[in-house]
Amino acid sequence: MSDRSVARSGAALLLGAAVTVAPLAPVAAQETRASVDVSAGGAYSTNPFLVRGGGDGALSTELAITPQVSFVDERDQASLVAHYRRSDYLTRYNSAEAYGFSALGQRAMSTRLNLRANLSFESSIIGQSGLGVVGVVDPVLTPAPVVGTPDITLIGLNQRQNSIFSSLGADYRLSARDSINGQVSLTRISYGGGSNLALLSSRTTAASVGYSRSLSERVSIGVQGMGSWIDYDNPAYAGHTYSPQATLNYQLSQQVNFSAGAGVVFVSSTTPRGTSTTTGFAGNFNGCRSAGRSVQCVRASSDAQPTGLGDVSRRMAASVDYSYRLRESDFVRGSLEYSRLTTTSDNTLQAPRTDYLTALGTYERSFTRRVFAGASIGYRRASVSGFGTPNDVTFRLFLRTRLGDIR
């Protein structure tokens, strides 16, 4: 498929999902918040794009702009967050940009029925060093790893990945203890220039349905069934996954809560040389603790995802995120993330296994309620079977200001 066709397909997905989200936006919000964060700084990275075989270190200037707006009333919640990041390298590398947005909407149709929608877009160079995160961990907004973003099998190829995700879901309360939920989603992943490989863009249609029952005010259990169907631009490649799971939600205390799921995933991957199938563990864990000045979150998942090399790979991911508020607007934050992709087919150019590890520590200090300065250090390591183990250390200084709402 040509770049122009990819763009048209992405625009169609964006428009279709926007039509879905638009009715969920509140007509007359009781509370509206809008702000823009602007960060600028400099960094030194030993291997900015995790080039395989070892990259050269480089200094860079960095700029990041993050506008966000949210609306809340008695029935509706909606938020829109966008971001733009640019790095200009003083030597060796061309400038690089990353940009995207996420729109979320939720509407209470009645005391029993809630509707929710999500539309997001992301464009970035896989493996590029970024500005990182600042501030306190938000147990609600801090996301779990997103399947398909990024495709770590392509790290080190200076490859741009574009992803569009749209979903529509509903929760319906059958009784005081019983509820059901469902969701349908569509994901489009495409690739820009940068690689000599013939990369395969893909479209994934997914659906899930679940049931849960409250055993007490703190505990609920249930079952969840999920399926996804993957179509590549090359019709010789395809795949699908199915995964039934048991679920548990438990609020241990006012400060600690977690949710978990465990089951099995069936994966089928088709290439020009045939179809491979595999079965494995599927599950997820999401737990957070908020205690005074500190917030800690632990997340993990096991599932499958399509890659740009035509395989539907098994995926495992885990992350730990910690923040501590020193004063009203002074923070320290640390995060550690690990993900792994393992092939299910031997008939592609993809390495049998790819591991990706990132660690980041950030300190930010406020001078006023709108002006902040900080420093961070990050480490990244990609281990690709048969292709080496590139790694990178990045040191960064930055200045940030917030315009608009400062709550």
Side-chain angles (χ1 to χ4, degrees), residues 14-285:
L14 216 62
L15 178 61
V19 171
T20 298
V21 175
L24 303 183
V27 176
Q30 292 183 348
E31 182 178 32
T32 302
R33 296 185 180 184
S35 64
V36 179
D37 280 2
V38 180
S39 298
Y44 175 78
S45 181
T46 60
N47 188 353
F49 296 93
L50 281 179
V51 176
R52 298 174 185 177
D56 295 319
L59 289 166
S60 65
T61 60
E62 298 181 323
L63 173 68
I65 303 173
T66 308
Q68 52 187 316
V69 61
S70 63
F71 311 90
V72 179
D73 67 11
E74 293 181 352
R75 298 181 62 186
D76 306 285
Q77 297 181 26
S79 65
L80 174 64
V81 180
H83 69 88
Y84 171 82
R85 185 182 78 240
R86 180 183 176 94
S87 298
D88 289 285
Y89 297 92
L90 305 186
T91 57
R92 299 184 179 91
Y93 302 97
N94 295 325
S95 61
E97 295 176 315
Y99 44 88
F101 72 88
S102 177
L104 305 174
Q106 181 173 307
R107 181 177 180 84
M109 304 299 294
S110 67
T111 57
R112 290 176 175 264
L113 177 63
N114 287 301
L115 297 181
R116 60 184 186 278
N118 181 7
L119 172 64
S120 61
F121 170 78
E122 177 72 25
S123 178
S124 62
I125 295 176
I126 300 170
Q128 180 196 358
S129 176
L131 276 173
V133 289
V134 295
V136 171
V137 179
D138 189 321
V140 177
L141 298 180
T142 303
V146 178
V147 171
T149 308
D151 183 349
I152 63 173
T153 64
L154 305 180
I155 282 179
L157 299 180
N158 197 24
Q159 179 63 56
R160 178 168 293 276
Q161 176 176 302
N162 304 305
S163 62
I164 301 173
F165 173 80
S166 60
S167 69
L168 179 64
D171 302 285
Y172 184 76
R173 183 171 295 278
L174 298 170
S175 67
R177 290 192 171 189
D178 302 283
S179 62
I180 56 175
N181 62 82
Q183 178 173 292
V184 293
S185 66
L186 184 63
T187 304
R188 170 70 176 176
I189 297 177
S190 59
Y191 302 94
S195 172
N196 294 324
L197 296 175
L199 300 178
L200 298 172
S201 299
S202 64
R203 183 180 69 251
T204 300
T205 305
S208 67
V209 61
Y211 163 81
S212 66
R213 179 175 178 82
S214 298
L215 302 181
S216 68
E217 293 183 354
R218 294 186 175 185
V219 182
S220 65
I221 59 174
V223 292
Q224 192 87 14
M226 293 161 281
S228 66
W229 298 265
I230 300 104
D231 294 305
Y232 288 94
D233 287 353
N234 185 335
Y237 295 82
H240 60 260
T241 70
Y242 302 104
S243 178
Q245 294 185 29
T247 61
L248 169 67
N249 288 274
Y250 184 40
Q251 183 174 349
L252 187 62
S253 65
Q254 291 185 344
Q255 294 80 30
V256 181
N257 65 83
F258 70 86
S259 61
V264 63
V265 62
F266 304 93
V267 182
S268 174
S269 181
T270 299
T271 70
R273 296 187 178 181
T275 298
S276 301
T277 58
T278 186
T279 304
F281 172 78
N284 63 84
F285 178 86

